[in-house]
Amino acid sequence: MRRSPKLRPNLWDGVVVLAVAALAVACAVGIWQGGGSQEALTAVISVDGTEVERIPLDQAGETRRTVEGGGYTLEICLTDTEVWVEHSDCPTQDCVHTGRISRSGQSIVCLPARVVVELEGGSTADDGLDAVIG
Amino acid sequence: MKLTTKQLTLCAVLTALALALSYLENLFPLSLAIPIPGIKLGLANIVTVFALYALGPAQAFLILLARCFLGAVFAGNMNALIFSLLGGVTAMVVMIVLSGSRCLSVYGVSVGGAAAHNCGQVAAAVLTLGNTAPLYYLPVLLGVSLLTGALTGLVSACLFRALAHTNLNTGLDQGGTHGA
């Protein structure tokens, strides 16, 4: 053994845990509090970093979009309050499992297809945290 | 870098173990519970922690690189390479720095490594997507890394305890002159 490590957690490990937790909270505050604007809630679909379409949810009503990227096809459903990926032929299915997003700042990411669906605009006033864990 | 035959063999075995562990963790799909791209237990990190202490930073780095390249080849997905490389190298650098401090136990080192791994992967996602949306997941990923880091730390601690009674390591540093 080059160096035998300490095997019991001690106070210094607590410092590392606190540092990571503080970083998480700082990121959460910085990223999730993106201010709402007067603009209505809008779904922004991007493929490979380029914006493909902006869909204002209240005007579009119930609609569907088929988006292709990275050789995969995503079926995106939109209502006036929610957006979700109904079906995807990507291997990971994270985009489908993400479920429905309904608030400004939320997003659905499909890494294999390089597709991002983001919600912008709308009010974030009643936003707040979903849950505080730990 | 000159490796003895014993060191080279151990590196190869640890690389194989890391690859097997990355495959094994697909059986525990954490992403079903928390649907975030790239979320996982990070079991291969156990190998990195072990190699870092038992063999030193240079060989741990070699094992990491071999694991990333072979993993991408076996998965037939070279796009995954940038994710595992950025995540793995960031974790490695942070763990080398943290393990340099004698105060920290394996728990602190693996929690730091797990958090750094997630930061690296989010950076890779931002780079490949050309979109900052993945940053949205960073707070949750960091929170989860506290748990997964503690878990890999626990397994590493058990591993070191078990190996304390063997002579695996005694021959490593003065392991003869058979250059490899």
Side-chain angles (χ1 to χ4, degrees), chain B residues 4 16 66 68 75-76 98 118 146 153 159:
Chain B
T4 64
C68 290
L98 287 182
N118 282 323
L146 291 179
L159 189 61

Side-chain angles (χ1 to χ4, degrees), chain B residues 3-20:
Chain B
L3 295 175
T4 64
T5 311
K6 188 168 182 183
Q7 285 171 328
L8 182 69
T9 314
L10 196 54
C11 283
V13 170
L14 286 174
T15 305
L17 184 60
L19 281 166

Side-chain angles (χ1 to χ4, degrees), chain A residues 30-112:
Chain A
I31 296 160
W32 290 350
Q33 285 201 338
S37 65
Q38 298 306 310
E39 195 192 357
L41 200 57
T42 305
V44 182
I45 302 175
S46 324
V47 180
D48 233 341
T50 25
E51 193 176 307
V52 179
E53 195 175 0
R54 300 179 75 90
I55 308 163
L57 292 187
D58 55 344
Q59 291 167 26
E62 266 192 58
T63 176
R64 280 165 179 273
R65 290 288 186 280
T66 305
V67 179
E68 285 181 22
Y72 302 108
T73 310
L74 278 76
E75 186 91 14
I76 301 170
C77 289
L78 306 100
T79 70
D80 49 1
T81 52
E82 291 178 323
V83 181
W84 69 95
V85 177
E86 176 88 359
H87 176 78
S88 165
D89 54 4
C90 67
T92 56
Q93 296 289 310
D94 286 320
C95 49
V96 178
H97 292 146
T98 301
R100 300 171 180 231
I101 59 171
S102 57
R103 289 178 296 147
S104 183
Q106 286 185 308
S107 57
I108 302 173
V109 175
C110 185
L111 284 177

Side-chain angles (χ1 to χ4, degrees), chain A residues 1-3 5-10 12-13 16 24 28 31-32 46 48-49 94 97 105-107 109 114 116 118, chain B residues 31-32 35 37 53-55 79 99 102-108 129 131 133 135-137 139 146 160-161 169 173:
Chain A
M1 193 70 62
R2 281 273 176 106
R3 287 178 290 156
K6 295 189 171 168
L7 300 181
R8 290 181 186 282
N10 57 33
W12 290 103
D13 297 322
V16 173
I31 296 160
W32 290 350
S46 324
D48 233 341
D94 286 320
H97 292 146
Q106 286 185 308
S107 57
V109 175
R114 299 188 180 186
V116 178
E118 284 175 286
Chain B
S31 61
L32 285 186
Y53 281 106
L55 303 169
N79 286 332
S99 67
R102 300 297 164 112
C103 308
L104 290 172
S105 75
V106 277
Y107 289 92
L129 285 171
N131 188 310
L135 280 176
Y136 185 81
Y137 298 125
L146 291 179
F160 285 120
R161 268 196 203 102
N169 303 294
D173 292 329

